[in-house]
């Protein structure tokens, strides 16, 4: 949320970019690559947004959580 981002010293530009990334991903239901492309075209692909997209990409491909459990 915006309050937490401000308290943790995120810049206005970073907060705006994260808001746009959220809007594209969850309100417009664009995929990760389409969102990345849109944000790049708008000049909003900040370090924070890249981290968010990388995290989401890894979580969707199973790099986190129980998918790493080796069950025999």
């Amino acid at each position: 949320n915006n309050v937490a981002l401000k308290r943790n010293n995120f810049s206005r530009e970073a907060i705006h970019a994260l808001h746009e990334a959220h809007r594209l991903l969850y309100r417009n239901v664009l995929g990760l690559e389409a969102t990345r492309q849109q944000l790049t075209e708008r000049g909003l692909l900040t370090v924070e947004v890249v981290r968010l997209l990388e995290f989401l990409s890894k979580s969707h491909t199973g790099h986190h959580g129980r998918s790493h459990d080796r069950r025999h």
Side-chain angles (χ1 to χ4, degrees):
N1 72 36
N2 287 336
V3 173
L5 293 172
K6 289 176 185 176
R7 284 183 184 161
N8 287 287
N9 299 319
F10 281 73
S11 68
R12 283 184 186 212
E13 293 80 18
I15 293 171
H16 174 68
L18 287 166
H19 172 77
E20 285 299 306
H22 180 270
R23 186 181 66 76
L24 291 171
L25 286 166
Y26 296 104
R27 292 187 189 161
N28 290 357
V29 194
L30 293 181
L32 289 173
E33 289 308 313
T35 296
R36 182 185 303 272
Q37 182 180 355
Q38 290 265 335
L39 294 170
T40 300
E41 290 171 1
R42 297 179 190 177
L44 296 173
L45 198 62
T46 64
V47 172
E48 297 84 3
V49 170
V50 170
R51 287 183 189 158
L52 172 66
L53 295 176
E54 287 175 357
F55 171 80
L56 292 173
S57 176
K58 287 178 182 178
S59 68
H60 287 298
T61 58
H63 293 309
H64 299 287
R66 297 191 55 90
S67 64
H68 276 287
D69 289 348
R70 300 272 183 210
R71 297 184 183 160
H72 302 292

Coordinates of all heavy atoms in Angstrom, one line a residue:
N1 N 0.8 -1.2 0.0 CA 0.0 0.0 0.0 C 0.9 1.2 0.0 O 2.1 1.2 0.4 CB -1.0 0.0 1.1 CG -0.4 0.2 2.5 OD1 0.5 1.0 2.7 ND2 -1.0 -0.5 3.5
N2 N 0.3 2.4 -0.4 CA 1.1 3.6 -0.6 C 1.7 4.1 0.7 O 2.8 4.5 0.8 CB 0.2 4.7 -1.1 CG -0.1 4.5 -2.6 OD1 0.6 3.8 -3.3 ND2 -1.2 5.0 -3.1
V3 N 1.0 3.9 1.8 CA 1.5 4.4 3.1 C 2.8 3.6 3.5 O 3.8 4.2 3.9 CB 0.4 4.2 4.2 CG1 1.0 4.6 5.6 CG2 -0.8 5.1 3.9
A4 N 2.8 2.3 3.4 CA 3.9 1.5 3.7 C 5.1 1.8 2.7 O 6.2 1.9 3.2 CB 3.6 0.0 3.6
L5 N 4.8 2.1 1.5 CA 5.9 2.4 0.5 C 6.5 3.8 0.9 O 7.7 3.9 0.9 CB 5.3 2.5 -0.9 CG 4.9 1.1 -1.5 CD1 4.2 1.3 -2.8 CD2 6.1 0.2 -1.6
K6 N 5.7 4.7 1.3 CA 6.2 6.1 1.7 C 7.0 5.9 3.0 O 8.1 6.6 3.1 CB 5.0 7.0 1.9 CG 4.4 7.5 0.6 CD 3.2 8.3 0.8 CE 2.5 8.7 -0.5 NZ 1.3 9.4 -0.3
R7 N 6.5 5.2 3.9 CA 7.2 5.0 5.2 C 8.6 4.3 5.0 O 9.5 4.5 5.7 CB 6.4 4.1 6.1 CG 5.3 4.8 6.8 CD 4.6 3.9 7.8 NE 3.4 4.6 8.3 CZ 2.4 4.0 8.9 NH1 2.4 2.7 9.0 NH2 1.4 4.7 9.3
N8 N 8.7 3.5 3.9 CA 10.0 2.8 3.6 C 10.8 3.6 2.6 O 11.6 3.0 1.9 CB 9.7 1.4 3.2 CG 9.3 0.6 4.4 OD1 10.2 0.3 5.2 ND2 8.0 0.2 4.5
N9 N 10.5 4.9 2.4 CA 11.3 5.8 1.6 C 11.3 5.4 0.1 O 12.3 5.7 -0.6 CB 12.7 5.9 2.1 CG 12.7 6.4 3.5 OD1 12.0 7.4 3.8 ND2 13.6 5.9 4.4
F10 N 10.3 4.9 -0.4 CA 10.2 4.7 -1.9 C 9.9 6.1 -2.5 O 9.1 6.9 -2.0 CB 9.0 3.7 -2.2 CG 9.4 2.3 -2.1 CD1 9.5 1.7 -0.8 CD2 9.6 1.5 -3.2 CE1 9.8 0.4 -0.6 CE2 9.9 0.1 -3.0 CZ 10.0 -0.4 -1.7
S11 N 10.5 6.3 -3.6 CA 10.3 7.6 -4.3 C 8.9 7.7 -4.9 O 8.2 6.6 -5.1 CB 11.3 7.8 -5.4 OG 11.1 6.8 -6.5
R12 N 8.5 8.9 -5.2 CA 7.2 9.0 -5.9 C 7.1 8.3 -7.2 O 6.1 7.7 -7.6 CB 6.9 10.5 -6.2 CG 6.4 11.3 -5.0 CD 6.1 12.7 -5.4 NE 5.8 13.4 -4.2 CZ 4.9 14.4 -4.1 NH1 4.3 14.8 -5.2 NH2 4.7 15.0 -3.0
E13 N 8.3 8.3 -7.9 CA 8.3 7.7 -9.2 C 8.2 6.1 -9.1 O 7.5 5.5 -9.9 CB 9.7 8.0 -9.9 CG 9.8 9.4 -10.3 CD 10.2 10.4 -9.2 OE1 10.7 9.9 -8.1 OE2 10.0 11.6 -9.3
A14 N 8.8 5.6 -8.0 CA 8.8 4.2 -7.8 C 7.3 3.8 -7.4 O 6.8 2.7 -7.9 CB 9.7 3.7 -6.7
I15 N 6.7 4.6 -6.6 CA 5.3 4.3 -6.2 C 4.4 4.3 -7.3 O 3.5 3.4 -7.5 CB 4.9 5.2 -5.0 CG1 5.7 4.9 -3.8 CG2 3.4 5.1 -4.8 CD1 5.5 6.0 -2.7
H16 N 4.6 5.3 -8.2 CA 3.7 5.5 -9.4 C 3.9 4.3 -10.3 O 3.0 3.7 -10.8 CB 4.0 6.8 -10.1 CG 3.3 6.9 -11.4 ND1 1.9 7.1 -11.5 CD2 3.8 6.9 -12.7 CE1 1.6 7.1 -12.8 NE2 2.7 7.0 -13.5
A17 N 5.2 3.9 -10.5 CA 5.5 2.7 -11.4 C 4.9 1.4 -10.9 O 4.3 0.7 -11.6 CB 7.0 2.6 -11.6
L18 N 5.0 1.2 -9.5 CA 4.4 0.0 -8.9 C 2.9 0.0 -9.0 O 2.3 -1.0 -9.3 CB 4.9 -0.1 -7.5 CG 6.3 -0.5 -7.3 CD1 6.7 -0.2 -5.8 CD2 6.5 -1.9 -7.7
H19 N 2.3 1.2 -8.9 CA 0.9 1.3 -9.0 C 0.4 0.9 -10.4 O -0.5 0.2 -10.6 CB 0.4 2.8 -8.7 CG -1.0 3.0 -9.0 ND1 -2.0 2.6 -8.2 CD2 -1.6 3.7 -10.0 CE1 -3.2 2.9 -8.7 NE2 -3.0 3.6 -9.8
E20 N 1.2 1.4 -11.4 CA 0.8 1.1 -12.8 C 1.0 -0.4 -13.1 O 0.2 -1.0 -13.8 CB 1.7 2.0 -13.8 CG 1.2 3.4 -13.9 CD -0.2 3.5 -14.4 OE1 -0.5 3.0 -15.5 OE2 -1.1 4.1 -13.7
A21 N 2.1 -0.9 -12.6 CA 2.3 -2.4 -12.8 C 1.2 -3.2 -12.2 O 0.7 -4.1 -12.8 CB 3.7 -2.8 -12.1
H22 N 0.8 -2.8 -11.0 CA -0.4 -3.5 -10.3 C -1.6 -3.4 -11.2 O -2.4 -4.3 -11.4 CB -0.6 -2.9 -8.9 CG -1.7 -3.6 -8.2 ND1 -3.0 -3.1 -8.3 CD2 -1.7 -4.7 -7.4 CE1 -3.8 -3.9 -7.6 NE2 -3.1 -4.9 -7.1
R23 N -1.9 -2.2 -11.7 CA -3.1 -1.9 -12.5 C -3.1 -2.8 -13.7 O -4.1 -3.4 -14.1 CB -3.1 -0.4 -12.8 CG -4.4 0.0 -13.6 CD -4.4 1.4 -13.9 NE -3.4 1.8 -14.9 CZ -3.5 1.5 -16.2 NH1 -4.5 0.9 -16.7 NH2 -2.5 1.8 -17.0
L24 N -1.9 -2.8 -14.4 CA -1.8 -3.6 -15.6 C -2.0 -5.1 -15.4 O -2.6 -5.8 -16.1 CB -0.5 -3.3 -16.4 CG -0.4 -1.9 -17.0 CD1 1.0 -1.7 -17.4 CD2 -1.4 -1.7 -18.1
L25 N -1.3 -5.6 -14.3 CA -1.4 -7.0 -14.0 C -2.7 -7.5 -13.5 O -3.2 -8.6 -13.9 CB -0.3 -7.3 -12.9 CG 1.2 -7.3 -13.4 CD1 2.1 -7.3 -12.3 CD2 1.4 -8.5 -14.3
Y26 N -3.3 -6.7 -12.6 CA -4.5 -7.2 -11.9 C -5.8 -6.6 -12.3 O -6.8 -7.3 -12.2 CB -4.3 -7.1 -10.4 CG -3.1 -8.0 -9.9 CD1 -1.9 -7.4 -9.6 CD2 -3.3 -9.4 -9.9 CE1 -0.8 -8.2 -9.2 CE2 -2.2 -10.2 -9.5 CZ -1.0 -9.6 -9.1 OH 0.0 -10.4 -8.8
R27 N -5.8 -5.4 -12.8 CA -7.1 -4.8 -13.2 C -7.3 -5.0 -14.7 O -8.4 -5.3 -15.2 CB -7.1 -3.3 -12.9 CG -7.2 -3.1 -11.4 CD -7.4 -1.6 -11.1 NE -7.3 -1.4 -9.7 CZ -7.0 -0.2 -9.2 NH1 -6.9 0.8 -9.9 NH2 -6.9 -0.1 -7.9
N28 N -6.2 -4.9 -15.5 CA -6.3 -5.1 -16.9 C -6.0 -6.6 -17.3 O -6.1 -6.9 -18.5 CB -5.4 -4.2 -17.7 CG -5.8 -2.8 -17.6 OD1 -6.9 -2.4 -17.1 ND2 -5.0 -1.9 -18.2
V29 N -5.5 -7.3 -16.4 CA -5.2 -8.7 -16.5 C -4.3 -9.0 -17.7 O -4.5 -9.9 -18.5 CB -6.5 -9.6 -16.6 CG1 -6.2 -11.1 -16.4 CG2 -7.5 -9.2 -15.6
L30 N -3.2 -8.2 -17.8 CA -2.2 -8.5 -18.8 C -1.2 -9.5 -18.2 O -1.0 -9.5 -17.0 CB -1.5 -7.2 -19.1 CG -2.2 -6.1 -19.9 CD1 -1.3 -4.9 -20.1 CD2 -2.9 -6.6 -21.1
G31 N -0.6 -10.2 -19.0 CA 0.4 -11.1 -18.6 C 1.7 -10.4 -18.2 O 1.8 -9.2 -18.4
L32 N 2.7 -11.1 -17.7 CA 3.9 -10.5 -17.3 C 4.7 -9.8 -18.4 O 5.1 -8.7 -18.3 CB 4.8 -11.6 -16.6 CG 4.3 -12.1 -15.3 CD1 5.2 -13.2 -14.8 CD2 4.3 -11.0 -14.2
E33 N 4.8 -10.5 -19.5 CA 5.5 -9.9 -20.7 C 4.8 -8.7 -21.3 O 5.5 -7.7 -21.6 CB 5.8 -11.0 -21.7 CG 6.9 -12.0 -21.3 CD 8.1 -11.4 -20.7 OE1 8.7 -10.4 -21.4 OE2 8.6 -11.8 -19.7
A34 N 3.5 -8.8 -21.4 CA 2.8 -7.6 -21.9 C 2.9 -6.4 -20.9 O 3.0 -5.3 -21.4 CB 1.3 -8.0 -22.1
T35 N 2.8 -6.7 -19.7 CA 3.0 -5.7 -18.7 C 4.4 -5.0 -18.7 O 4.5 -3.8 -18.7 CB 2.7 -6.2 -17.2 OG1 1.4 -6.6 -17.2 CG2 3.0 -5.2 -16.2
R36 N 5.4 -5.9 -18.8 CA 6.8 -5.4 -18.9 C 6.9 -4.5 -20.2 O 7.5 -3.5 -20.1 CB 7.8 -6.6 -19.0 CG 9.2 -6.2 -19.1 CD 10.1 -7.4 -19.3 NE 10.0 -8.4 -18.3 CZ 10.6 -8.4 -17.1 NH1 11.5 -7.4 -16.9 NH2 10.5 -9.4 -16.3
Q37 N 6.4 -4.9 -21.3 CA 6.4 -4.2 -22.5 C 5.8 -2.8 -22.4 O 6.3 -1.8 -22.7 CB 5.8 -4.9 -23.7 CG 5.9 -4.2 -25.0 CD 5.3 -5.0 -26.1 OE1 4.9 -6.1 -26.0 NE2 5.2 -4.4 -27.3
Q38 N 4.5 -2.8 -21.8 CA 3.8 -1.5 -21.6 C 4.6 -0.6 -20.7 O 4.7 0.6 -21.0 CB 2.4 -1.8 -21.0 CG 1.5 -2.5 -21.9 CD 0.6 -1.6 -22.6 OE1 0.3 -0.5 -22.1 NE2 0.1 -2.0 -23.7
L39 N 5.1 -1.1 -19.6 CA 5.9 -0.3 -18.7 C 7.2 0.2 -19.3 O 7.6 1.4 -19.0 CB 6.1 -1.0 -17.4 CG 4.9 -1.4 -16.6 CD1 5.2 -2.3 -15.4 CD2 4.2 -0.1 -16.0
T40 N 7.8 -0.6 -20.1 CA 9.0 -0.1 -20.8 C 8.7 1.0 -21.7 O 9.4 2.0 -21.8 CB 9.7 -1.3 -21.5 OG1 10.0 -2.3 -20.6 CG2 10.9 -0.9 -22.3
E41 N 7.6 0.9 -22.5 CA 7.2 1.9 -23.4 C 6.9 3.2 -22.7 O 7.1 4.3 -23.3 CB 6.0 1.4 -24.3 CG 6.4 0.3 -25.2 CD 5.1 -0.3 -25.9 OE1 4.0 0.2 -25.6 OE2 5.3 -1.2 -26.7
R42 N 6.4 3.1 -21.5 CA 6.0 4.3 -20.8 C 7.1 4.9 -19.9 O 7.0 5.8 -19.2 CB 4.8 4.0 -19.9 CG 3.6 3.6 -20.6 CD 2.5 3.3 -19.7 NE 1.3 2.7 -20.3 CZ 0.2 2.3 -19.7 NH1 0.1 2.4 -18.4 NH2 -0.8 1.8 -20.4
G43 N 8.3 4.2 -19.9 CA 9.4 4.6 -19.1 C 9.2 4.4 -17.6 O 9.7 5.1 -16.8
L44 N 8.4 3.3 -17.3 CA 8.1 3.0 -15.9 C 8.7 1.7 -15.4 O 8.3 1.2 -14.4 CB 6.6 3.0 -15.7 CG 5.8 4.3 -15.9 CD1 4.3 4.1 -15.9 CD2 6.3 5.3 -14.9
L45 N 9.7 1.2 -16.1 CA 10.3 0.0 -15.7 C 11.4 0.3 -14.7 O 12.6 0.2 -15.1 CB 10.8 -0.8 -16.9 CG 11.1 -2.3 -16.7 CD1 9.8 -3.0 -16.3 CD2 11.7 -2.9 -18.0
T46 N 11.1 0.6 -13.5 CA 12.0 0.9 -12.5 C 12.6 -0.3 -11.8 O 12.1 -1.4 -12.1 CB 11.3 1.8 -11.3 OG1 10.4 0.9 -10.7 CG2 10.7 3.0 -11.9
V47 N 13.6 -0.2 -11.0 CA 14.2 -1.3 -10.3 C 13.2 -2.0 -9.5 O 13.2 -3.3 -9.5 CB 15.4 -0.8 -9.4 CG1 15.9 -1.9 -8.6 CG2 16.5 -0.2 -10.3
E48 N 12.3 -1.3 -8.8 CA 11.3 -1.9 -8.0 C 10.3 -2.7 -8.8 O 9.9 -3.8 -8.4 CB 10.6 -0.8 -7.2 CG 11.4 0.0 -6.2 CD 12.2 1.1 -6.9 OE1 12.0 1.4 -8.1 OE2 13.0 1.8 -6.1
V49 N 9.9 -2.2 -10.0 CA 9.0 -2.9 -10.8 C 9.7 -4.2 -11.4 O 9.1 -5.3 -11.4 CB 8.5 -2.0 -12.0 CG1 7.7 -2.8 -13.0 CG2 7.6 -0.9 -11.4
V50 N 10.9 -4.1 -11.8 CA 11.7 -5.3 -12.3 C 11.7 -6.3 -11.2 O 11.5 -7.5 -11.5 CB 13.1 -4.9 -12.7 CG1 13.9 -6.1 -13.0 CG2 13.0 -4.0 -14.0
R51 N 12.0 -6.0 -9.9 CA 12.0 -6.9 -8.8 C 10.6 -7.6 -8.7 O 10.5 -8.8 -8.5 CB 12.4 -6.3 -7.5 CG 13.8 -5.9 -7.5 CD 14.2 -5.3 -6.1 NE 15.5 -4.8 -6.1 CZ 16.0 -3.9 -5.3 NH1 15.2 -3.4 -4.4 NH2 17.2 -3.5 -5.4
L52 N 9.6 -6.8 -8.8 CA 8.2 -7.3 -8.7 C 7.9 -8.3 -9.8 O 7.5 -9.4 -9.5 CB 7.2 -6.2 -8.7 CG 5.7 -6.6 -8.8 CD1 5.3 -7.4 -7.5 CD2 4.8 -5.4 -9.1
L53 N 8.3 -8.0 -11.0 CA 8.0 -8.8 -12.1 C 8.8 -10.1 -12.1 O 8.3 -11.2 -12.4 CB 8.3 -8.1 -13.5 CG 7.3 -6.9 -13.7 CD1 7.7 -6.2 -15.0 CD2 5.9 -7.4 -13.8
E54 N 10.1 -10.0 -11.6 CA 10.9 -11.2 -11.4 C 10.4 -12.1 -10.4 O 10.3 -13.3 -10.5 CB 12.4 -10.8 -11.1 CG 13.1 -10.2 -12.2 CD 14.5 -9.7 -11.9 OE1 14.9 -9.7 -10.7 OE2 15.2 -9.3 -12.8
F55 N 9.9 -11.5 -9.3 CA 9.3 -12.3 -8.2 C 8.1 -13.1 -8.7 O 7.9 -14.3 -8.5 CB 8.9 -11.5 -7.0 CG 8.1 -12.2 -6.0 CD1 8.8 -13.0 -5.1 CD2 6.7 -12.1 -5.9 CE1 8.0 -13.7 -4.1 CE2 6.0 -12.7 -5.0 CZ 6.6 -13.6 -4.1
L56 N 7.2 -12.4 -9.4 CA 6.0 -13.0 -9.9 C 6.3 -14.1 -11.0 O 5.7 -15.1 -11.0 CB 5.1 -11.9 -10.5 CG 4.5 -11.0 -9.6 CD1 3.7 -9.8 -10.3 CD2 3.5 -11.7 -8.6
S57 N 7.3 -13.8 -11.8 CA 7.7 -14.8 -12.8 C 8.2 -16.1 -12.1 O 7.9 -17.2 -12.5 CB 8.8 -14.2 -13.7 OG 9.3 -15.2 -14.6
K58 N 9.1 -15.9 -11.1 CA 9.6 -17.1 -10.4 C 8.5 -17.8 -9.7 O 8.5 -19.0 -9.6 CB 10.7 -16.7 -9.4 CG 11.9 -16.3 -10.1 CD 13.0 -15.8 -9.1 CE 14.3 -15.4 -9.8 NZ 15.2 -14.9 -8.8
S59 N 7.5 -17.1 -9.1 CA 6.5 -17.8 -8.3 C 5.5 -18.5 -9.3 O 5.0 -19.6 -8.9 CB 5.7 -16.8 -7.4 OG 5.0 -15.9 -8.2
H60 N 5.3 -18.0 -10.5 CA 4.5 -18.7 -11.4 C 5.1 -19.9 -12.1 O 4.5 -20.8 -12.5 CB 4.0 -17.7 -12.6 CG 3.0 -16.7 -12.1 ND1 1.8 -17.0 -11.7 CD2 3.1 -15.3 -12.0 CE1 1.1 -15.9 -11.3 NE2 1.9 -14.9 -11.6
T61 N 6.5 -19.9 -12.1 CA 7.2 -21.0 -12.7 C 7.6 -22.0 -11.7 O 8.3 -23.0 -12.0 CB 8.4 -20.5 -13.5 OG1 9.3 -19.8 -12.7 CG2 7.9 -19.7 -14.7
G62 N 7.3 -21.8 -10.4 CA 7.6 -22.8 -9.4 C 8.9 -22.7 -8.8 O 9.4 -23.7 -8.3
H63 N 9.6 -21.5 -8.8 CA 10.9 -21.4 -8.1 C 10.8 -21.2 -6.6 O 11.8 -21.1 -6.0 CB 11.7 -20.2 -8.8 CG 12.0 -20.5 -10.2 ND1 12.7 -21.6 -10.6 CD2 11.9 -19.8 -11.3 CE1 12.9 -21.6 -11.9 NE2 12.4 -20.5 -12.4
H64 N 9.6 -21.0 -6.1 CA 9.4 -20.9 -4.7 C 8.4 -21.9 -4.2 O 7.6 -22.5 -4.9 CB 8.8 -19.5 -4.4 CG 9.7 -18.3 -4.8 ND1 10.8 -18.0 -4.1 CD2 9.5 -17.5 -5.8 CE1 11.4 -17.0 -4.8 NE2 10.6 -16.6 -5.8
G65 N 8.5 -22.1 -2.9 CA 7.4 -23.0 -2.3 C 7.6 -24.4 -2.5 O 8.7 -25.0 -2.7
R66 N 6.5 -25.1 -2.4 CA 6.5 -26.6 -2.3 C 6.8 -27.3 -3.6 O 7.1 -28.5 -3.6 CB 5.1 -27.1 -1.8 CG 4.8 -26.6 -0.4 CD 3.6 -27.3 0.2 NE 3.7 -28.7 0.1 CZ 4.3 -29.5 1.1 NH1 4.8 -29.0 2.2 NH2 4.3 -30.8 1.0
S67 N 6.9 -26.5 -4.7 CA 7.2 -27.2 -6.0 C 8.7 -27.7 -6.0 O 9.0 -28.5 -6.8 CB 7.0 -26.2 -7.1 OG 7.9 -25.1 -7.0
H68 N 9.5 -27.2 -5.0 CA 10.9 -27.6 -4.9 C 11.0 -28.9 -4.1 O 12.1 -29.5 -4.1 CB 11.7 -26.5 -4.3 CG 12.2 -25.6 -5.3 ND1 13.2 -25.9 -6.3 CD2 11.8 -24.3 -5.6 CE1 13.4 -24.8 -7.0 NE2 12.6 -23.9 -6.7
D69 N 10.0 -29.3 -3.4 CA 10.0 -30.6 -2.6 C 10.2 -31.7 -3.6 O 9.6 -31.8 -4.6 CB 8.7 -30.8 -1.9 CG 8.5 -29.9 -0.7 OD1 9.5 -29.2 -0.4 OD2 7.4 -29.9 -0.2
R70 N 11.2 -32.5 -3.3 CA 11.5 -33.7 -4.1 C 10.8 -34.9 -3.5 O 11.1 -35.4 -2.4 CB 13.0 -34.0 -4.2 CG 13.7 -32.9 -4.8 CD 13.8 -33.0 -6.3 NE 14.6 -32.0 -6.8 CZ 14.4 -31.5 -8.0 NH1 13.5 -31.9 -8.8 NH2 15.2 -30.5 -8.4
R71 N 9.7 -35.3 -4.1 CA 9.0 -36.5 -3.6 C 9.3 -37.7 -4.4 O 9.2 -37.7 -5.6 CB 7.5 -36.2 -3.6 CG 7.1 -35.0 -2.7 CD 5.7 -34.8 -2.7 NE 5.5 -33.6 -1.8 CZ 4.4 -32.9 -1.9 NH1 3.4 -33.2 -2.7 NH2 4.2 -31.8 -1.1
H72 N 9.6 -38.7 -3.8 CA 10.0 -40.0 -4.5 C 8.9 -41.0 -4.3 O 8.3 -41.2 -3.5 CB 11.3 -40.5 -4.0 CG 12.4 -39.5 -4.1 ND1 12.9 -39.1 -5.4 CD2 13.2 -38.8 -3.2 CE1 13.9 -38.3 -5.2 NE2 14.1 -38.0 -3.9

